[in-house]
Amino acid sequence: MGKLTDRASLVQAREALKKEIDSNKCRILICAGTGCVAGGSGEIYDKMCQLVEGHPGIEVKFEDHVDHGDGDIAVRKSGCHGFCEMGPLLKIEPQDILYTKVKLEDCEEIFHKTIVGGELIPRLLVQQDGMEVPKQEEINFYKKQNRNVLKNCGHIDAEHIEEYLAIGGYKALEKVLFDMEPQAVIDEVSAAGLRGRGGAGFPTGKKWAQVAGQKEPKRYVVCNGDEGDPGAFMDRSIMEGDPHKMIEGMAIAAYAVGSDEGYIYVRAEYPLAIERLRNAIAQAEEWGLLGDNILGTDFSFRLHINRGAGAFVCGEGSALTASIEGNRGMPRVKPPRTVEQGLFDKPTVLNNVETYANVPMILDNGADWFKSIGVEKNHGTKAFALTGSVKNTGLIEVPMGTTLREVIYDIGGGIKDGGQFKAVQIGGPSGGCLTAEHLDLPLDFDSLKKIGAMIGSGGMVVMDDKTCMVEVARFFMNFTQNESCGKCVPCREGTKRMLEILERIVAGKGTLEDLDVLEELSEMITDTALCGLGKCAAQPVMSTLQFFREEYEQHVVEKKCVSRNCEALRKFVIDPDKCKGCSKCARNCPAGAISGQIRKAYSIDFDTCIKCGACVADCAFDAIHIEW
């Protein structure tokens, strides 16, 4: 199909493509998100293609099958289904059958038994309440979700624009170009109450209005795809699984603020996302949905991709734009703000991937539809990367205001391996820890802000009772300190001092005075750091000190780690009743920490012991054990 030159050609193409896809008797969708690709889904896709191509004209037999015509079986690569714990995933439509943990050797059986014969394969289905659950919509992991931004991920082929057009893609862009003035677009986004999904929750419509009101005629639209939080992969999954939704949102933003050029800033560690974005942009240009005079109108918009070098600080707006310009990614003093002088010192709209992906749905369905989801002043949904000590890890999307309890126990399936819930780190390394008392707290911008936490980009790490909260604080402080750009003294020096104190504490060398210094440093850095990274750097320490102070005190007073994580706090003890006095442990101790007399019980000097564990391995009488 050629380049679309007007509204009528777009409508005609959309209808033709929908008819073509509906003619498929069966669609086999193999997850091609990064996780499943790493698990071998690429080989599964190739094998299923071979099987279908090798059996032309087969008759598909399903008891509940509705014949959509005489089309072939379609094998497609989809984006992330979200249920990462169970990948690689294979879905069969229109029957809504979801097979999990699929292996290459399962392909023949899936093809002959299910695709041709219409029979289910129980071992590949989700086991739930003692029963096999074939349909995705009936699996608990999906039941309480409201997948709007992620709606197409897992249902369409992310590598072909035709699939996006067939389900109504670029309908919102069509609407704004032919039926709405730029200000009306901004008004609709403002009325919907869309807030930025990158962390701060700033009103999107307000940001667009500020850019649109600048005197400078040259404006830029920038997408922040620099998802740097450990364990977070929401934006990556959207870029990989439904890139055109984000691109359409950026084009709408450009129309609204009068921009003709945009940039997508993506981490270089996301090669699959970059590949699919490049492919999507090229296809959109080929079809006339990006470039000059889109759909025959006066509106032109071109997109560029800029790869980041993996610096966490480049998630901050001014550091990100500096990086795109070819400079070192470092925040700057504000004002001027990005909306006034952003990329190349021009007014710039800067939103993250998930924010832009919400825009087409708002323009398509209206502000009232969006406001009907979520809670007051926190409308719509939020995607989270659910990881850690939870049974069902993966990518989820829930209405704003959903509680932690619902996410962890209803969707996540509870704590794995019979453990007890202890805490959840939300908002990434700049976020805070929430405890059992917060399980019924609504997950929205305002509720979390009241208790000193934040949603951030959407990382959610669940921790069980085997987790040491002091070590958690040390881990995140180590990450933040390494990622500090070093421009301002509070962040550069303050985080280093905090990390040194935390390392002393987990090494068993901390004092109660260290806890007071940690609190003082936390307040100082939060109040005086230049950018958001520094201002939030102390959050993990502040929240763990607030809710788990007894663990800190145990580390510094009793020199104990009750969670048995801090190896420097373990003690190697010789049982005098079992020790034969052979001296082997003393002779092989690299630190000379073991002393005694032959044929009498030996002992270990705790201050000299380096906790290497060589003595345990050497003892033939099982006389040495570890105490915590």
Side-chain angles (χ1 to χ4, degrees):
M1 200 168 289
K3 187 172 183 178
L4 305 175
T5 56
D6 53 28
R7 187 176 199 175
S9 61
L10 173 59
V11 173
Q12 184 180 3
R14 190 183 294 123
E15 291 175 350
L17 291 168
K18 184 177 185 305
K19 185 177 180 181
E20 181 180 332
I21 289 177
D22 285 347
S23 71
N24 297 142
K25 291 181 179 179
C26 175
R27 282 169 59 83
I28 305 169
L29 294 155
I30 293 121
C31 179
T34 292
C36 284
V37 168
S41 67
E43 291 80 4
I44 293 169
Y45 170 80
D46 292 338
K47 182 64 175 179
M48 294 305 298
C49 286
Q50 291 173 11
L51 290 167
V52 170
E53 291 169 1
H55 295 77
I58 65 168
E59 182 180 353
V60 181
K61 296 177 180 177
F62 286 107
E63 290 183 8
D64 59 347
H65 175 66
V66 178
D67 194 353
H68 290 282
D70 297 320
D72 296 328
I73 296 174
V75 184
R76 297 285 183 263
K77 293 179 183 178
S78 76
C80 177
H81 294 245
F83 208 179
C84 305
E85 181 78 13
M86 305 299 286
L89 300 165
L90 183 150
K91 189 174 184 185
I92 302 169
E93 293 182 343
Q95 291 72 30
D96 194 32
I97 297 170
L98 183 66
Y99 281 149
T100 62
K101 297 186 177 180
V102 178
K103 300 177 182 177
L104 185 61
E105 52 266 32
D106 295 323
C107 293
E108 292 268 2
E109 187 177 4
I110 292 171
F111 180 76
H112 292 291
K113 184 174 283 187
T114 303
I115 305 300
V116 178
E119 297 179 35
L120 295 174
I121 304 172
R123 75 171 188 282
L124 298 178
L125 299 173
V126 169
Q127 303 293 316
Q128 185 173 291
D129 301 324
M131 300 175 62
E132 294 93 13
V133 183
K135 294 185 180 294
Q136 179 174 316
E137 62 187 23
E138 296 173 358
I139 298 171
N140 288 339
F141 179 78
Y142 293 101
K143 272 185 178 180
K144 280 208 170 183
Q145 292 193 49
N146 190 343
R147 296 173 75 85
N148 290 331
V149 168
L150 302 175
K151 182 179 180 180
N152 300 331
C153 294
H155 294 276
I156 66 171
D157 188 331
E159 296 183 351
H160 293 88
I161 191 173
E162 294 88 344
E163 299 241 330
Y164 183 68
L165 288 170
I167 59 169
Y170 290 100
K171 189 176 180 181
L173 178 61
E174 170 201 337
K175 178 180 179 179
V176 303
L177 289 181
F178 293 99
D179 299 333
M180 301 178 73
E181 294 296 322
Q183 185 59 48
V185 176
I186 295 174
D187 291 343
E188 190 73 8
V189 173
S190 299
L194 175 63
R195 296 171 68 171
R197 292 324 197 230
F202 190 83
T204 303
K206 184 176 181 179
K207 182 181 289 188
W208 291 13
Q210 290 171 339
V211 173
Q214 300 298 316
K215 293 181 179 179
E216 168 61 50
K218 179 67 177 180
R219 293 102 185 245
Y220 290 99
V221 171
V222 177
C223 178
N224 182 355
D226 190 63
E227 190 173 45
D229 293 1
F233 52 97
M234 300 76 58
D235 291 347
R236 186 195 74 196
S237 296
I238 296 169
M239 291 186 285
E240 290 177 357
D242 195 10
H244 287 284
K245 181 180 282 187
M246 181 196 80
I247 290 170
E248 184 177 7
M250 292 185 71
I252 291 170
Y255 174 78
V257 304
S259 170
D260 63 356
E261 194 171 4
Y263 285 81
I264 305 172
Y265 189 85
V266 193
R267 296 178 72 78
E269 297 93 330
Y270 286 177
L272 186 58
I274 292 170
E275 177 187 333
R276 290 186 179 163
L277 283 170
R278 283 176 174 165
N279 178 62
I281 290 170
Q283 290 180 350
E285 289 175 344
E286 182 182 345
W287 282 69
L289 295 165
L290 281 179
D292 297 327
N293 303 113
I294 296 172
L295 294 175
T297 67
D298 293 333
F299 174 61
S300 300
F301 183 59
R302 293 196 172 275
L303 265 179
H304 314 281
I305 294 176
N306 190 283
R307 291 186 299 170
F312 182 68
V313 72
C314 286
E316 195 275 340
S318 59
L320 184 151
T321 54
S323 180
I324 293 176
E325 293 167 359
N327 301 314
R328 182 178 175 187
M330 300 177 77
R332 70 177 185 209
V333 178
K334 303 173 187 65
R337 297 169 299 157
T338 303
V339 294
E340 300 160 339
Q341 292 182 30
L343 185 61
F344 302 117
D345 292 329
K346 305 298 182 184
T348 301
V349 168
L350 175 59
N351 290 121
N352 86 321
V353 173
E354 189 178 348
T355 308
Y356 285 122
N358 271 288
V359 171
M361 297 185 294
I362 291 172
L363 272 300
D364 225 359
N365 302 307
D368 290 339
W369 166 82
F370 190 77
K371 291 178 71 174
S372 69
I373 305 167
V375 294
E376 186 179 1
K377 296 182 181 179
N378 292 267
H379 305 297
T381 60
K382 180 70 188 82
F384 292 95
L386 184 62
T387 60
S389 301
V390 65
K391 292 179 182 177
N392 300 327
T393 60
L395 182 66
I396 69 170
E397 183 180 355
V398 294
M400 283 283 194
T402 301
T403 66
L404 266 176
R405 189 183 302 277
E406 290 174 297
V407 169
I408 294 170
Y409 289 94
D410 295 342
I411 298 173
I415 307 303
K416 66 181 181 182
D417 300 328
Q420 297 295 315
F421 172 78
K422 187 172 186 177
V424 58
Q425 173 77 11
I426 188 167
S430 302
C433 285
L434 305 180
T435 66
E437 67 180 89
H438 302 117
L439 281 172
D440 295 310
L441 180 77
L443 291 172
D444 61 65
F445 296 110
D446 301 325
S447 297
L448 288 174
K449 187 177 180 179
K450 288 178 182 177
I451 63 167
M454 65 178 183
I455 284 181
S457 60
M460 188 181 292
V461 183
V462 179
M463 293 168 276
D464 63 13
D465 51 356
K466 299 181 183 68
T467 306
C468 174
M469 302 311 296
V470 184
E471 169 56 24
V472 167
R474 189 211 63 81
F475 171 84
F476 282 111
M477 183 54 64
N478 181 63
F479 176 87
T480 304
Q481 201 279 321
N482 285 334
E483 293 294 338
S484 172
C485 73
K487 185 173 185 178
C488 72
V489 173
C491 184
R492 183 183 70 237
E493 299 298 328
T495 57
K496 189 174 183 179
R497 298 288 86 81
M498 290 186 73
L499 178 60
E500 289 171 351
I501 294 172
L502 289 166
E503 287 177 337
R504 275 206 310 272
I505 293 173
V506 298
K509 300 176 182 178
T511 65
L512 285 174
E513 288 74 21
D514 283 334
L515 305 188
D516 297 331
V517 176
L518 279 176
E519 291 179 329
E520 292 175 12
L521 285 170
S522 295
E523 293 176 6
M524 181 275 294
I525 296 169
T526 301
D527 292 341
T528 59
L530 176 61
C531 77
L533 183 149
K535 290 183 180 298
C536 298
Q539 281 278 41
V541 179
M542 293 172 70
S543 60
T544 51
L545 268 172
Q546 179 183 357
F547 299 119
F548 299 98
R549 192 178 186 89
E550 71 281 359
E551 283 197 34
Y552 281 88
E553 292 173 349
Q554 286 170 347
H555 279 65
V556 301
V557 177
E558 302 176 39
K559 307 301 180 186
K560 287 185 177 180
C561 177
V562 294
S563 302
R564 302 189 174 189
N565 281 273
C566 301
E567 293 191 356
L569 296 181
R570 61 182 181 169
K571 293 181 179 179
F572 290 86
V573 180
I574 298 177
D575 185 342
D577 295 331
K578 291 184 178 181
C579 180
K580 306 300 181 183
C582 70
S583 80
K584 185 177 180 181
C585 59
R587 285 182 279 117
N588 293 332
C589 178
I594 304 176
S595 60
Q597 296 180 8
I598 296 294
R599 294 190 178 89
K600 290 185 178 181
Y602 277 64
S603 62
I604 299 175
D605 183 347
F606 300 141
D607 293 330
T608 308
C609 177
I610 60 173
K611 318 294 178 21
C612 67
C615 55
V616 177
D618 287 337
C619 184
F621 306 104
D622 194 27
I624 305 176
H625 63 275
I626 300 173
E627 287 185 358
W628 291 89

